[in-house]
Amino acid sequence: MQKNTTGWIVTGVGAAVTGVGALVGGSLGAGIAGFGLAHVVLGVLDNFRPTVRR
């Protein structure tokens, strides 16, 4: 696996969950969308994290 594959996977899953939350609507949908957006942010931050060199 490449160094930033995990970050991209987390970002993609977060984007999908955000879309589902937008489709659900209401306060439940807002919670689901917020959960997805948090994963998008964490995935992007993971992409910018420096790698550990051995």
Side-chain angles (χ1 to χ4, degrees):
M1 215 183 251
Q2 293 184 7
K3 75 176 189 103
N4 62 352
T5 303
T6 304
W8 284 113
I9 290 171
V10 171
T11 303
V13 169
V17 170
T18 302
V20 169
L23 290 175
V24 169
S27 61
L28 179 63
I32 294 171
F35 185 76
L37 285 173
H39 279 78
V40 169
V41 170
L42 291 173
V44 169
L45 287 175
D46 188 42
N47 284 334
F48 290 113
R49 186 178 60 176
T51 58
V52 177
R53 295 184 184 179
R54 294 182 184 179

